[in-house]
């Protein structure tokens, strides 16, 4: 079997065949660090994390670059509004972003280039485009890309070229398809930019957002690389403009495969800062949800389908994980019952579900089916344990399958917080109280543990301490 992905460029499912066999070089548009990322943004980053993990699961080496947009219209506006330096302003949100990635168990990319560290590369790219006649300087010192000079302009977004208005210009980073026009590569400084500016052959100014991604992706991955991803809102104009700049400069294909994830929506509308219908990861963590639960929710839908955010869905994610945790604990108890001698063959149901999981992720990351395969293992495994049909050695083998699956999902390991010595001591006191039938004392200790955030579960293998949810 081979990994199939939906290429937004061809609008077809294609077998992923990297340029260099065995290695996938990919670029993911990262956050604009002007605020805390919301969980709509994290839907995109989780999709990319699943993609990265699936690539590795399929045996590819991965080189992933995720940029940090730390200069653009929004970051400049934010820094000025707060009266702080752009660097100080964006640093807060860069730090927050990396902390959030950890909370969501997103595996680090190989490179996180920041736009402000790559201004010379961006200037060089603009110079090349000017030299080749794909760009021109406007009266105010800004430099624009001439879309009429690039016959493939609009191919990714399937724009009607007849509708393009030669010579029209757009200075903002974000605009709609109807406003497709020559876009800014370099923006001349104006008073609204405060003290944010870099010297260039065209006078002081700053790069356009689209140019940033072209320069940084090509620096780390070369002029042609395998895969480029983002949320569907990045497809136009951002990715269309990246293609135009990069291919016009190099005369060769920029990216072989493009992948875009659909939006996280609230009541049918894209979750976004501008609509105000958003939750940051931090908002949800404050409400008592764990990163793992939020990851489950965002990972559970197929990436090309929009996903409606509701608290009921988060609650359902919590229940699904509780079910998975209960099984992995049962399995661990059985696996540890007697140390297995010879490794045992996998039970047939586990082999089948493991294969179904692989087939699902190789089919354009079909997460709905992948999770169904996981829950088949849980269902059949629980039944086998109920009927005492799973030997300790087989339990170890099933654990191996789950570990493989979790290399992709990163959902099965619990966020284990170990009880400290005081909590352990209380637990032992409770055991003694129970043995001597001091029930009131035993209950008192249980309540005290509850106040400290711990619940006791009496299991056949003895009492266990668990973090109280919420
Ligand atoms: P930004 O910080 O606005 O550049 O967005 C960062 C990433 O989040 C981009 O890949 C966007 O496409 C993506 N994104 C923004 N809003 C949503 C949403 N509601 N659902 C899914 N992805 C989103
Ligand atoms: Zn980008």
């Amino acid at each position: 079997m081979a990994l199939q992905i939906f290429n937004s460029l061809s609008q077809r499912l294609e077998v992923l065949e990297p340029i260099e066999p065995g290695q996938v070089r990919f670029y993911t548009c990262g956050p604009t660090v002007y605020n805390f990322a919301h969980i709509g943004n994290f839907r995109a980053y989780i999709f990319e994390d699943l993609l990265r993990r699936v690539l590795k699961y399929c045996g590819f080496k991965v080189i992933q670059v995720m940029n940090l947009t730390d200069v653009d219209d929004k970051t400049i506006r934010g820094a000025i509004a707060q009266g702080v330096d752009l660097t100080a302003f964006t640093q807060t949100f860069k730090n927050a972003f990396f902390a959030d990635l950890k909370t969501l168990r997103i595996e680090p990319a190989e490179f996180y280039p920041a736009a402000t560290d790559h201004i010379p590369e961006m200037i060089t790219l603009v110079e090349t485009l000017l030299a080749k006649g794909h760009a021109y300087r406007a009266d105010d010192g800004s430099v624009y890309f001439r879309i009429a000079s690039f016959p493939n302009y609009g191919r990714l977004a399937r724009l009607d070229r007849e509708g393009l208005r030669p010579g029209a210009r757009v200075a903002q980073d974000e605009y709609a398809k109807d406003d497709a026009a020559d876009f800014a590569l370099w923006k001349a400084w104006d008073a609204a930019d405060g003290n944010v500016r870099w010297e260039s052959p065209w006078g002081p100014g700053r790069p356009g957002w689209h140019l940033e991604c072209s320069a940084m992706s090509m620096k780390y991955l070369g002029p042609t690389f395998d895969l480029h991803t983002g949320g569907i809102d990045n497809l136009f104009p951002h990715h269309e403009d990246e293609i135009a700049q990069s291919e016009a400069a190099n005369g060769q294909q920029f990216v072989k495969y493009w992948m875009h994830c659909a939006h996280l929506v609230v009541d049918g509308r894209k979750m976004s800062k501008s609509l105000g219908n958003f939750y940051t990861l931090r908002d949800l963590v404050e409400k008592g949800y764990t990163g793992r639960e939020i990851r489950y929710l965002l990972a559970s839908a197929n990436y090309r389908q929009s996903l409606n955010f509701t608290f009921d869905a988060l609650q359902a994610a919590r229940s699904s994980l509780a079910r998975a945790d209960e099984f992995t604990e049962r399995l661990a108890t059985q696996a540890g019952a007697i140390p297995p001698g010879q490794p045992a063959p996998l039970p047939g149901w586990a082999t089948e579900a493991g294969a179904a999981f692989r087939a699902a992720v190789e089919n354009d990351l079909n997460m709905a089916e992948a999770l169904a395969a996981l829950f088949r293992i849980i269902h059949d495994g629980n039944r086998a344990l109920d009927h005492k049909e799973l030997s300790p050695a087989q339990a170890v083998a099933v654990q191996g399958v789950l570990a493989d699956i979790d290399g992709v999902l990163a959902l099965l390991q619990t966020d284990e917080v170990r009880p400290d010595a005081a909590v352990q001591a209380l637990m032992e006191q409770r055991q003694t109280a129970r043995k001597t039938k001091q029930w009131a004392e035993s209950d008192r200790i249980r309540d005290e543990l509850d106040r400290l955030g711990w619940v006791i579960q009496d299991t056949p293998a003895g009492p266990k301490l668990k973090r109280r949810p919420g």
Side-chain angles (χ1 to χ4, degrees):
M1 272 292 287
L3 175 59
Q4 286 206 310
I5 51 153
F6 186 85
N7 188 350
S8 312
L9 197 57
S10 64
Q11 291 285 304
R12 284 208 194 93
L13 274 178
E14 293 180 30
V15 172
L16 181 90
E17 286 170 348
I19 298 159
E20 260 178 67
Q23 170 176 290
V24 177
R25 284 172 290 152
F26 88 100
Y27 185 86
T28 53
C29 288
T32 307
V33 279
Y34 73 112
N35 209 327
F36 298 109
H38 60 68
I39 57 163
N41 300 130
F42 282 115
R43 180 178 192 199
Y45 305 135
I46 284 194
F47 147 64
E48 286 149 357
D49 182 54
L50 290 170
L51 177 60
R52 172 187 170 88
R53 290 167 176 274
V54 167
L55 289 168
K56 288 167 75 173
Y57 176 80
C58 292
F60 295 109
K61 180 175 178 245
V62 170
I63 302 176
Q64 183 189 2
V65 178
M66 179 184 276
N67 73 295
L68 304 170
T69 302
D70 60 353
V71 53
D72 80 324
D73 300 348
K74 292 186 274 198
T75 42
I76 294 176
R77 247 185 275 136
I80 290 174
Q82 278 196 12
V84 293
D85 199 60
L86 181 68
T87 316
F89 176 74
T90 57
Q91 192 59 49
T92 309
F93 299 113
K94 285 180 189 172
N95 295 346
F97 178 67
F98 287 113
D100 287 355
L101 291 185
K102 270 213 182 113
T103 305
L104 288 171
R105 305 177 173 198
I106 292 178
E107 216 171 63
E110 279 62 32
F111 299 97
Y112 289 103
T116 53
D117 292 332
H118 296 80
I119 305 291
E121 288 86 344
M122 294 168 198
I123 291 178
T124 305
L125 184 53
V126 178
E127 282 178 320
T128 307
L129 289 169
L130 277 166
K132 293 194 172 180
H134 290 292
Y136 59 91
R137 195 177 163 188
D139 292 341
D140 68 348
S142 295
V143 181
Y144 283 84
F145 185 89
R146 192 192 309 277
I147 57 176
S149 76
F150 186 69
N152 271 339
Y153 191 83
R155 205 174 125 214
L156 177 67
R158 293 178 153 60
L159 289 189
D160 173 12
R161 277 193 69 87
E162 299 295 308
L164 299 179
R165 295 154 300 145
R169 267 184 234 152
V170 53
Q172 297 91 338
D173 286 329
E174 293 179 82
Y175 51 92
K177 279 189 195 181
D178 291 347
D179 301 319
D182 291 355
F183 56 91
L185 299 168
W186 184 262
K187 301 187 190 199
W189 179 86
D190 71 30
D193 290 345
N195 65 357
V196 178
R197 60 173 138 186
W198 286 266
E199 284 311 318
S200 80
W202 320 286
R206 60 180 169 104
W209 171 42
H210 316 303
L211 185 83
E212 297 180 1
C213 280
S214 279
M216 289 186 278
S217 59
M218 293 195 291
K219 167 160 181 186
Y220 292 90
L221 299 172
T224 302
F225 56 91
D226 300 300
L227 183 57
H228 194 317
T229 63
I232 191 74
D233 55 321
N234 280 166
L235 190 146
F236 187 86
H238 187 50
H239 292 162
E240 190 71 58
D241 292 354
E242 277 188 49
I243 295 175
Q245 298 159 153
S246 309
E247 298 194 354
N250 294 317
Q252 64 193 82
Q253 187 176 22
F254 175 44
V255 171
K256 203 168 165 190
Y257 306 95
W258 288 85
M259 290 173 81
H260 294 95
C261 78
H263 284 146
L264 183 69
V265 299
V266 184
D267 298 330
R269 303 177 82 191
K270 176 190 171 192
M271 180 178 283
S272 67
K273 297 260 161 62
S274 52
L275 289 174
N277 59 352
F278 66 92
Y279 289 99
T280 64
L281 181 62
R282 283 132 201 269
D283 293 336
L284 296 184
V285 168
E286 235 162 67
K287 287 182 188 292
Y289 295 97
T290 64
R292 191 164 71 114
E293 289 163 347
I294 299 159
R295 177 179 176 91
Y296 186 101
L297 173 66
L298 296 177
S300 60
N302 291 344
Y303 76 90
R304 285 195 286 134
Q305 284 162 6
S306 63
L307 170 61
N308 194 37
F309 174 78
T310 60
F311 280 97
D312 282 350
L314 251 182
Q315 218 48 46
R318 174 170 285 182
S319 312
S320 300
L321 282 172
R323 180 133 190 268
D325 289 351
E326 188 193 303
F327 176 64
T328 51
E329 270 181 40
R330 258 188 110 182
L331 197 62
T333 307
Q334 178 67 346
I338 5 167
Q342 290 300 309
L346 267 180
W349 48 265
T351 311
E352 273 165 39
F357 179 85
R358 177 169 289 275
V361 297
E362 285 183 347
N363 178 19
D364 197 30
L365 275 61
N366 188 327
M367 295 310 292
E369 277 182 19
L371 286 171
L374 169 67
F375 280 94
R376 223 169 307 141
I377 296 182
I378 294 173
H379 175 268
D380 292 352
N382 273 323
R383 204 172 48 187
L385 286 164
D386 290 345
H387 294 139
K388 312 228 173 313
E389 287 168 356
L390 195 74
S391 70
Q394 280 178 313
V396 171
V398 174
Q399 281 182 317
V401 175
L402 289 184
D404 274 355
I405 286 180
D406 207 40
V408 173
L409 300 178
L411 288 170
L412 296 180
Q413 301 261 341
T414 50
D415 302 283
E416 230 177 278
V417 184
R418 298 205 171 275
D420 62 19
V423 170
Q424 286 285 9
L426 276 171
M427 166 94 158
E428 276 154 30
Q429 283 167 29
R430 176 175 174 270
Q431 279 308 91
T432 313
R434 278 166 66 91
K435 275 194 197 124
T436 53
K437 299 197 171 14
Q438 294 171 268
W439 304 119
E441 173 67 357
S442 149
D443 287 351
R444 187 195 64 75
I445 300 174
R446 191 197 52 216
D447 291 347
E448 183 160 354
L449 282 168
D450 186 69
R451 258 195 308 282
L452 295 170
W454 294 92
V455 237
I456 297 180
Q457 283 187 331
D458 290 304
T459 74
K464 283 197 173 146
L465 274 173
K466 275 190 129 182
R467 260 336 254 176
R468 177 160 43 72

